[in-house]
Amino acid sequence: MQKSGKTIEVKPDNNFTAAMGARVNGNTISLVYNPRLLLMDNERLDYILAHELVHTVTSDAINNTINNTATKEEKDFSNNIWNIIVDLHNNKNFHWDFGFDLNSTQERASHIKEFIANVMTNPKLQRHLAQIKIDK
């Protein structure tokens, strides 16, 4: 499958430590899965696949921002998502365990990637976000 000049491949790896994940190597994006772990988590296969596919679509903009090769749009995208994460974290009416320390900027790119993938694929988080009242 081609995505903006990149090839997406799906391949098994019995040594992979998660059920599924995305790896990028040059122009190839690999969706790597551990067959044994994926079978153990087969009830969430649709979620896992969608989650990893979102990573393949959004990771370039975030990685470019971290590597200082981003366009203005990519920088704005990454910074806007980070600001949303921080705003949600500081919202006393929003209770969600992000699973990471917002004060650690060292892993900021990873946090942004996981947040985007979860917003796009996690129905529980989507319902939680839908409850937020926005002042106009």
Side-chain angles (χ1 to χ4, degrees), residues 8-51:
I8 299 175
E9 63 183 14
V10 179
K11 60 183 183 177
D13 180 345
N14 292 327
N15 296 316
F16 198 63
T17 58
M20 182 177 277
R23 292 180 181 161
V24 178
N25 184 8
N27 286 332
T28 302
I29 299 169
S30 301
L31 289 176
V32 182
Y33 66 95
N34 183 318
R36 183 180 52 81
L37 295 177
L38 199 56
L39 279 174
M40 292 170 52
D41 207 4
N42 69 351
E43 290 142 15
R44 296 181 339 127
L45 180 58
D46 55 346
Y47 162 76
I48 293 169
L49 182 58
H51 181 97

Side-chain angles (χ1 to χ4, degrees), residues 3-123:
K3 177 205 153 263
S4 62
K6 297 195 179 211
T7 301
I8 299 175
E9 63 183 14
V10 179
K11 60 183 183 177
D13 180 345
N14 292 327
N15 296 316
F16 198 63
T17 58
M20 182 177 277
R23 292 180 181 161
V24 178
N25 184 8
N27 286 332
T28 302
I29 299 169
S30 301
L31 289 176
V32 182
Y33 66 95
N34 183 318
R36 183 180 52 81
L37 295 177
L38 199 56
L39 279 174
M40 292 170 52
D41 207 4
N42 69 351
E43 290 142 15
R44 296 181 339 127
L45 180 58
D46 55 346
Y47 162 76
I48 293 169
L49 182 58
H51 181 97
E52 296 306 326
L53 286 172
V54 169
H55 283 310
T56 67
V57 174
T58 60
S59 290
D60 281 351
I62 299 157
N63 291 339
N64 289 346
T65 301
I66 299 305
N67 297 330
N68 294 318
T69 59
T71 64
K72 180 185 180 326
E73 292 80 10
E74 290 172 331
K75 287 178 190 173
D76 290 347
F77 172 74
S78 292
N79 289 332
N80 289 338
I81 296 298
W82 184 253
N83 290 337
I84 290 169
I85 293 170
V86 171
D87 287 348
L88 288 172
H89 179 71
N90 292 331
N91 183 334
K92 299 203 184 311
N93 296 319
F94 185 78
H95 306 287
W96 186 264
D97 180 11
F98 287 100
F100 51 78
D101 179 7
L102 288 177
N103 296 318
S104 170
T105 57
Q106 188 174 18
E107 296 294 322
R108 182 173 168 166
S110 177
H111 302 334
I112 293 170
K113 290 176 190 177
E114 288 305 320
F115 179 75
I116 293 169
N118 278 299
V119 164
M120 300 292 287
T121 61
N122 185 325

Side-chain angles (χ1 to χ4, degrees), residues 119-132:
V119 164
M120 300 292 287
T121 61
N122 185 325
K124 186 175 178 181
L125 178 57
Q126 292 166 353
R127 285 189 299 275
H128 214 68
L129 288 169
Q131 302 297 317
I132 296 175

